Amino acid sequence: MAVGHSLNPARWRVLLDEAETRVADRFVRAEPRRTAGQFVEGLLSGVERKTCWSLAEQAGHRDPQAMQRLLRTAVWDADAVRDDVRSWLVEQFGHPDAVLIADETGFLKKGVCSVGVQRQYTGTAGRIENSQVGVFLAYVTPHGRALIDRRLYLPEATWCAQPERLAAAGVPDEVEFATKPALARQMIADALDAGVPAGWVTGDEVYGADPGLRADLEDRGVGYVLAVGCDRRVAVNDGRTLIRVDDLAERIPTRQWQQHSCGPGAKGPRDYLWAWITTATRPGEHRWLLIRRNRSTGELAFYLCWSPRPVPLHTLVTVAGSRWNIEELFQTGKGQVGLDHYQVRGWTGWHRFITLAMLALAVLTILAAQQPDPGPDIIALTVAEIRRLLNAFVLAIPLPPEHTLHWSTWRRASQARARRSHYQRRLGYRTRRKVAAC
């Protein structure tokens, strides 16, 4: 069926059905259960924009109401589905030395009504934009990687301090302000309490700067390699002297820098120069400052490291390098299953859409992990290529021309109603201004 690969579309269909069966018991009624399966298949489809309108058309519905009900009012627990997705992924490629990675990503939005939205910095745009921010937890093992949890960040001043705004967005009363590291701590604790096997946690400077996160991990006996800023001070020698990490880097002799790859990249191994300094202040502790130097630019990066047991330098380097997996998962999630395509404003809708997108991404991840090694003359099937083949051999559903024409008419009629509504609202606003001026 494809050169260099032995594909079994029937087996792929079985795995897709298994994904839907895994979460079926979370839906009380048959209609939302069936719609959820169609929603996930729509996220995996070749539809350009994964909105309720386009997913409903892809599923053969006459209108988007069933898809919209699934995200808004249908009775089901998105957190329970999230737990099912996590358990499934752990069954497929759980590993005792797995790495949990915490990071956030932005979702660009217009207006002020979407829950958690405000003007804030987002790496998605590389600048301050009107956006929502979601904090995610990734699970990375030698066998595969996937997103296993999510939390929506609610800014303190513009959201958590405004109860009426929270109520309008459907935020539960028990939800309080939490920093991004605090949200990461919640997700890591939930994963470990659920029995997810993991030996390490890593994250960027946002998470490395939180002492509570480091303390939690040490209490649980989980190692960490967490990035920190160049102005971080660490204890050396007698344990009483605090020195900035960038000052320490300047004191390291050239011979003590070692070249290691922190993982494969698009253009080959990602080689850097690395050095490590023991920062333990008590006998039996295993603490280090890990320093990375770019061989071309000389740029430095710093990591606080702790382990319940002695480990070699290469282990810390591998954990530090694994953080880029979550960036690639964000890119894959947004590009392949529409992680950022949602058009919901409320708390419930956001968590439901993101959870179903995580389930769709888990399908692609597991399919990729199950593919045999194709040999040296061809690269392994990527997630993007698997999605293309999945659409060609499993999800291809021919729709009659009448259905396509019906949706064209439906969309244009809905857009006409929306335009009239906007014009009437704007006309009423102008009228009120004129009356006020008189």
Side-chain angles (χ1 to χ4, degrees):
M1 186 168 292
V3 177
H5 293 283
S6 176
L7 300 184
N8 187 340
R11 185 175 179 181
W12 287 23
R13 178 72 253 184
V14 168
L15 188 136
L16 184 55
D17 291 340
E18 180 184 354
E20 298 171 8
T21 302
R22 281 265 171 173
V23 302
D25 291 343
R26 305 303 184 181
F27 300 87
V28 176
R29 297 179 58 248
E31 181 204 1
R33 184 184 309 121
R34 180 174 58 253
T35 304
Q38 295 170 336
F39 198 99
V40 171
E41 293 189 16
L43 293 174
L44 291 166
S45 74
V47 172
E48 184 176 355
R49 291 292 298 174
K50 299 340 194 256
T51 66
C52 285
W53 286 20
S54 58
L55 297 185
E57 180 179 2
Q58 175 73 14
H61 297 185
R62 301 290 291 177
D63 57 54
Q65 293 182 13
M67 296 291 185
Q68 291 170 342
R69 281 197 300 271
L70 178 70
L71 298 182
R72 295 176 182 173
T73 59
V75 179
W76 62 283
D77 187 345
D79 285 347
V81 172
R82 180 270 323 272
D83 293 345
D84 293 335
V85 174
R86 181 178 62 201
S87 298
W88 189 33
L89 289 165
V90 169
E91 288 176 18
Q92 294 294 320
F93 47 80
H95 193 280
D97 291 326
V99 182
L100 294 171
I101 309 170
D103 202 0
E104 72 271 6
T105 188
F107 303 93
L108 303 182
K109 290 294 169 183
K110 297 181 180 179
V112 297
C113 295
S114 296
V115 59
V117 72
Q118 73 166 11
R119 286 189 59 79
Q120 53 192 325
Y121 178 82
T122 169
T124 303
R127 59 182 181 272
I128 295 176
E129 286 284 356
N130 200 58
S131 62
Q132 297 166 297
V133 172
V135 182
F136 288 79
L137 188 68
Y139 188 65
V140 176
T141 81
H143 311 301
R145 61 188 185 186
L147 299 175
I148 61 171
D149 206 348
R150 73 287 176 270
R151 295 286 194 280
L152 180 63
Y153 171 70
L154 294 177
E156 185 173 20
T158 56
W159 278 91
C160 292
Q162 300 185 29
E164 68 286 350
R165 201 177 187 194
L166 295 174
V171 179
D173 293 338
E174 64 271 17
V175 174
E176 299 178 347
F177 172 72
T179 63
K180 295 167 189 174
L183 295 175
R185 290 168 64 184
Q186 294 172 13
M187 292 188 291
I188 292 168
D190 287 349
L192 296 176
D193 288 345
V196 174
W200 296 92
V201 169
T202 189
D204 64 20
E205 296 177 15
V206 172
Y207 306 93
D210 181 40
L213 174 58
R214 300 196 302 271
D216 286 352
L217 295 174
E218 291 180 23
D219 288 343
R220 288 178 174 270
V222 177
Y224 59 75
V225 179
L226 295 168
V228 292
C230 63
D231 58 348
R232 168 69 59 175
R233 295 178 181 271
V234 296
V236 293
N237 299 327
D238 57 3
R240 294 188 295 271
T241 304
L242 296 177
I243 303 178
R244 281 176 57 118
V245 293
D246 52 357
D247 290 337
L248 276 174
E250 294 179 357
R251 303 180 186 182
I252 298 175
T254 302
R255 65 180 182 276
Q256 291 187 9
W257 291 94
Q258 303 179 38
Q259 181 174 312
H260 287 275
S261 170
C262 59
K267 300 180 180 180
R270 291 183 285 125
D271 291 328
Y272 293 91
L273 295 175
W274 299 83
W276 60 339
I277 299 171
T278 299
T279 60
T281 58
R282 293 191 297 269
E285 283 191 328
H286 309 294
R287 298 182 186 275
W288 305 273
L289 171 68
L290 178 67
I291 308 173
R292 186 191 73 198
R293 170 174 284 167
N294 188 297
R295 293 189 301 156
S296 301
T297 66
E299 180 183 5
L300 298 174
F302 305 92
Y303 305 85
L304 294 183
C305 309
W306 179 88
S307 173
R309 62 188 184 280
V311 295
L313 171 61
H314 184 68
T315 297
L316 301 181
V317 169
T318 301
V319 175
S322 69
R323 195 189 72 79
W324 297 106
N325 282 278
I326 196 168
E327 300 288 352
E328 294 173 349
L329 283 168
F330 289 151
Q331 183 179 2
T332 301
K334 293 177 179 181
Q336 300 300 323
V337 299
L339 187 70
D340 60 343
H341 291 189
Y342 59 87
Q343 293 182 337
V344 294
R345 291 181 172 179
W347 176 271
T348 298
W350 188 90
H351 285 84
R352 289 182 170 185
F353 185 100
I354 296 296
T355 302
L356 293 175
M358 287 168 52
L359 176 57
L361 186 58
V363 171
L364 297 177
T365 299
I366 294 172
L367 282 174
Q370 292 180 349
Q371 301 314 303
D373 185 353
D377 298 328
I378 185 172
I379 69 169
L381 280 171
T382 63
V383 167
E385 189 64 24
I386 284 176
R387 178 170 160 262
R388 293 189 191 98
L389 295 173
L390 188 68
N391 277 276
F393 301 135
V394 179
L395 298 178
I397 303 175
L399 296 171
E402 295 79 8
H403 178 76
T404 302
L405 290 174
H406 163 78
W407 268 94
S408 176
T409 302
W410 193 94
R411 276 194 299 270
R412 288 181 287 122
S414 297
Q415 290 164 356
R417 289 193 299 271
R419 183 169 59 182
R420 287 194 299 270
S421 176
H422 289 312
Y423 284 171
Q424 290 170 358
R425 187 180 301 112
R426 184 170 298 178
L427 179 61
Y429 174 72
R430 291 176 178 173
T431 302
R432 288 192 298 273
R433 285 192 64 183
K434 289 180 179 179
V435 171
C438 294

